[in-house]
Amino acid sequence: MRLDQVVYSVDGWLSAERFLGAGTRTYSKYADITDISSAFHPQHGNTSFRVPSFRVPAALGRLRTNGIASELPGYYHDGERLLLPVHPDALACADLVGREELLECEPGPDFEVIPLANARTVFVVAIDGVDIRPHQLKLHYPRRISRFTRRLREPMIELELWVADELAALGTPFLAEVCGGIFGSGGDAWGFIVREAPPLAAGRYTVPLFALYGGDIRAPQDPTLLEQLVEVGSETAETFIAERIVAPMIRLWVRAAVSAGCLLEPHGQNTLVSFTADARDIEVRYRDCGVYIDPVIRRRLGLNRPLPPMNVIGSDLRAPAAGIRSLTYDSFMGHHALDYLAELARKRFGADPDVLHEAARIVYASAVEGFPEPLLPDTVYYYDDAAPPERWRLKDTGIRPHWR
């Protein structure tokens, strides 16, 4: 994708989400697994597709919100009934929990959506043929994408709304989850989450981080976005990556961790880069509040808000806090994203990865200054591939971290 040929910022964002991921999913043996029908596949499917919905009575469904003001919840509840969109592949699953009861509900309008990189998260552009305020919609998807089956149960919905409140209170640059719908009751209740769209102002582009270093599957001869931004800017590739990308990512992760005990997962899909065409104004943002919570940090800070029902270290998570922190920082951010940026810069510009690593160490040391104990372990933790994907566990890889 060539930036000088993108007329509308929304087109640039959607093209980046869908087509600029070539070569970016080699970080694990599970990374490129997407069990989805071809019509709904982000890279190979239709330009858009329709998601059916159901009008669910109060006895079966409810809408959850948080403290973030938004008009979006109004699309999903009419005051009496929940409007529940369901991914076509999920609806086709014979073992979808509550499927018989769902099909007895009154059909609602179709949602016109465009698939995003995650496949089960879509971009909503119209409901019942009427244009609405565009936004992202994360759907229950009881099929496998990458390492896990992507069910979206009630505890996860509550977690994401809770974390969104925490990040908003910190002033974090992120796309906020503002509501979630829940169908059914008990441990298998499932639903959806509504998330704000990225800034799509004229003259400004927003793309997932992987789109900076990923190839275009439609035009593999095109230079990557990183190459195009370095070319039009006034900085070297090393300076651009270190100061415009790596430093704000590190500061964002550390601030959320040490100020709220929220361990963000800033890999290539969850990290967003917003920039002007001349590369002078660049911002790093975050999306997806389905993160881990460190209650020890929160207690130290005197934060006594009741914790969410899942992803709490020491509660439903038995892995050590240091290992979970390393998973999110060293593996998700470092190995899954920044290593790709560094390698592309080495190949295309002759940049020295060690220079980028040293710059990251300086930023990290400054960001954690004053924290009373080591925030991260001496070595990198990652998933143990010997464990079944749905029953994950961590292992100490013994590898020294590069990005701190």
Side-chain angles (χ1 to χ4, degrees):
M1 183 175 81
R2 294 185 178 273
L3 290 173
D4 58 7
Q5 297 175 0
V6 176
V7 177
Y8 301 107
S9 58
V10 65
D11 295 333
W13 175 55
L14 293 171
S15 292
E17 284 270 357
R18 298 188 65 180
F19 304 121
L20 299 192
T24 65
R25 296 189 181 186
T26 59
Y27 48 81
S28 86
K29 66 181 183 181
Y30 301 112
D32 205 29
I33 295 174
T34 301
D35 180 13
I36 194 166
S37 297
S38 58
F40 315 130
H41 195 287
Q43 286 79 48
H44 314 302
N46 300 327
T47 301
S48 66
F49 64 92
R50 296 187 180 277
V51 169
S53 72
F54 298 85
R55 299 190 187 277
V56 179
L60 292 176
R62 54 216 173 272
L63 188 73
R64 294 277 190 264
T65 58
N66 53 17
I68 299 173
S70 172
E71 67 185 69
L72 296 178
Y75 293 128
Y76 293 88
H77 204 279
D78 62 8
E80 296 182 357
R81 294 175 298 179
L82 172 72
L83 187 61
L84 178 73
V86 184
H87 194 285
D89 274 352
L91 192 59
C93 290
D95 58 352
L96 176 68
V97 174
R99 187 172 186 270
E100 291 184 4
E101 294 87 347
L102 180 64
L103 293 176
E104 291 177 356
C105 294
E106 178 187 340
D110 284 345
F111 284 55
E112 184 180 352
V113 307
I114 299 169
L116 301 180
N118 180 256
R120 61 89 170 255
T121 301
V122 297
F123 186 59
V124 182
V125 295
I127 299 177
D128 202 19
V130 178
D131 291 346
I132 61 164
R133 179 181 167 189
H135 57 275
Q136 296 182 63
L137 178 62
K138 187 175 184 179
L139 295 165
H140 177 66
Y141 195 76
R143 295 169 69 167
R144 186 170 171 184
I145 298 174
S146 186
R147 188 177 292 267
F148 303 110
T149 300
R150 302 296 171 163
R151 300 178 183 90
L152 189 54
R153 294 189 174 117
E154 184 173 8
M156 177 59 74
I157 294 169
E158 293 183 5
L159 166 70
E160 296 203 27
L161 295 174
W162 186 95
V163 171
D165 270 337
E166 294 290 311
L167 297 185
L170 286 180
T172 305
F174 81 116
L175 305 187
E177 280 87 341
V178 297
C179 70
I182 300 165
F183 172 72
S185 61
D188 287 328
W190 55 268
F192 63 86
I193 291 174
V194 175
R195 180 188 300 143
E196 297 281 0
L200 298 170
R204 189 168 196 91
Y205 307 91
T206 298
V207 302
L209 178 65
F210 71 75
L212 293 191
Y213 52 82
D216 190 333
I217 66 172
R218 303 164 306 171
Q221 74 282 357
D222 283 357
T224 62
L225 294 189
L226 175 65
E227 293 169 84
Q228 295 178 60
L229 289 172
V230 170
E231 182 179 349
V232 301
S234 58
E235 301 164 313
T236 66
E238 289 172 348
T239 299
F240 179 87
I241 294 172
E243 297 184 4
R244 305 296 196 98
I245 307 297
V246 176
M249 286 180 67
I250 291 173
R251 295 188 187 109
L252 188 152
W253 186 92
V254 170
R255 184 158 189 258
V258 304
S259 300
C262 295
L263 306 180
L264 305 186
E265 302 181 3
H267 51 61
Q269 281 190 19
N270 287 352
T271 305
L272 303 177
V273 183
S274 178
F275 54 88
T276 52
D278 59 8
R280 292 181 180 179
D281 184 7
I282 297 178
E283 298 177 356
V284 169
R285 298 171 179 264
Y286 181 78
R287 67 173 168 190
D288 200 329
C289 290
V291 304
Y292 300 110
I293 308 302
D294 194 322
V296 173
I297 293 178
R298 292 185 62 82
R299 284 195 295 270
R300 183 182 292 121
L301 295 168
L303 301 175
N304 55 15
R305 181 186 178 197
L307 294 172
M310 70 173 294
N311 275 24
V312 178
I313 299 171
S315 180
D316 63 313
L317 290 178
R318 296 303 178 184
I324 294 287
R325 296 171 190 170
S326 175
L327 173 71
T328 61
Y329 184 101
D330 295 317
S331 294
F332 292 163
M333 180 170 67
H335 180 257
H336 290 14
L338 297 183
D339 281 359
Y340 285 85
L341 270 178
E343 178 62 11
L344 177 63
R346 184 192 67 80
K347 288 181 176 179
R348 296 291 187 265
F349 301 103
D352 186 349
D354 288 340
V355 171
L356 298 176
H357 297 156
E358 180 58 26
R361 293 186 191 104
I362 293 171
V363 173
Y364 176 80
S366 174
V368 300
E369 187 175 2
F371 195 73
E373 63 185 37
L375 186 60
L376 291 163
D378 292 337
T379 51
V380 173
Y381 281 69
Y382 191 53
Y383 295 120
D384 184 351
D385 282 346
E390 295 294 336
R391 298 183 180 276
W392 64 271
R393 63 174 178 255
L394 294 183
K395 71 173 184 179
D396 182 349
T397 67
I399 299 172
R400 299 286 296 183
H402 298 307
W403 298 101
R404 58 178 171 92

